[in-house]
Amino acid sequence: MNTHVILQGFLVTAGLIMAIGAQNAHVLKMGLTRQHVLPTILVCALSDAFLIGLGVTGMGKVIEHFPVAVEVATWGGAAFLLWYGLRSLRSAFSAHALTPTDAPPMPLKQAIVLVLGFTYLNPHAYLDTIVLIGSIGGREHGLDRVGFWLGCIAASVSWFMLLGYGARWLAPLFAKPASWRVLDAMIGVGMGIIAISLLR
């Protein structure tokens, strides 16, 4: 197994998943409120491993032959992101501002459903993992293909651990309600932009 291929998988994946997006914003918020951080990270990392695994085994080419399925996923993902964006904007402009200490408890089931939605209802996730990363890893053979995939998984786990558990370092900043208003507003606007970009 070539170490260079493992590093390539790590760097390619890190470069794509570190971009600000719906999933990352959700992981950050869960980390700031310190609710179900580990389950959220596990869902994200395992989903990346699954989707990238599909990509490196050639599923990206199969998906390209089903444009109707891609269109349905696009509309569904846009609707989900718009709903969450509006919810975040409502929170940003509500009379009561959230702080980490008074964050309403979220049931584990709801937390899992939300992160699954951000992962599997976002067509960008399929483009990044199955099509883009998969097309690069799919050029490798044998153990090198496995090594590329393992490098991808290492990047995913490292990033989501840093994002989820590193969020507590931002706790002093978000001790102020105004900071939460800004975060919620940014998340709301960001979700709206992503949703509109999907529809366009």
Side-chain angles (χ1 to χ4, degrees):
M1 189 180 296
N2 192 332
T3 306
H4 172 74
V5 174
I6 299 175
L7 180 61
Q8 182 188 32
F10 185 96
L11 293 176
V12 168
T13 302
L16 286 172
I17 66 173
M18 288 174 65
I20 297 301
Q23 188 186 57
N24 284 343
H26 178 68
V27 175
L28 176 63
K29 193 164 186 178
M30 296 302 289
L32 286 169
T33 57
R34 300 182 185 182
Q35 297 191 73
H36 311 300
V37 179
L38 183 59
T40 300
I41 291 171
L42 286 175
V43 170
C44 292
L46 290 173
S47 296
D48 276 358
F50 171 67
L51 294 173
I52 294 171
L54 290 179
V56 298
T57 54
M59 282 299 295
K61 294 181 180 178
V62 175
I63 290 177
E64 291 175 355
H65 289 87
F66 293 94
V68 175
V70 174
E71 185 173 349
V72 171
T74 298
W75 282 94
F80 176 78
L81 293 173
L82 280 173
W83 166 77
Y84 192 85
L86 290 173
R87 179 176 142 173
S88 295
L89 287 174
R90 185 179 66 179
S91 176
F93 294 102
S94 66
H96 174 69
L98 182 68
T99 64
T101 54
D102 66 2
M106 179 183 294
L108 177 60
K109 182 178 179 180
Q110 182 182 349
I112 297 298
V113 169
L114 276 175
V115 73
L116 286 173
F118 285 121
T119 303
Y120 292 99
L121 291 179
N122 184 1
H124 283 312
Y126 299 100
L127 177 64
D128 289 347
T129 55
I130 299 180
V131 179
L132 295 181
I133 299 176
S135 65
I136 297 172
R139 294 181 297 188
E140 306 296 337
H141 300 282
L143 288 179
D144 282 345
R145 182 177 292 188
V146 176
F148 180 89
W149 180 63
L150 291 176
C152 297
I153 295 173
S156 178
V157 171
S158 300
W159 170 246
F160 288 119
M161 290 286 287
L162 178 63
L163 193 61
Y165 287 108
R168 66 187 59 187
W169 296 334
L170 299 174
L173 173 64
F174 284 90
K176 300 178 180 179
S179 299
W180 277 98
R181 292 184 188 276
V182 173
L183 178 65
D184 280 330
M186 290 176 62
I187 290 175
V189 172
M191 299 298 169
I193 292 173
I194 295 172
I196 292 172
S197 71
L198 287 177
L199 297 178
R200 293 181 62 184

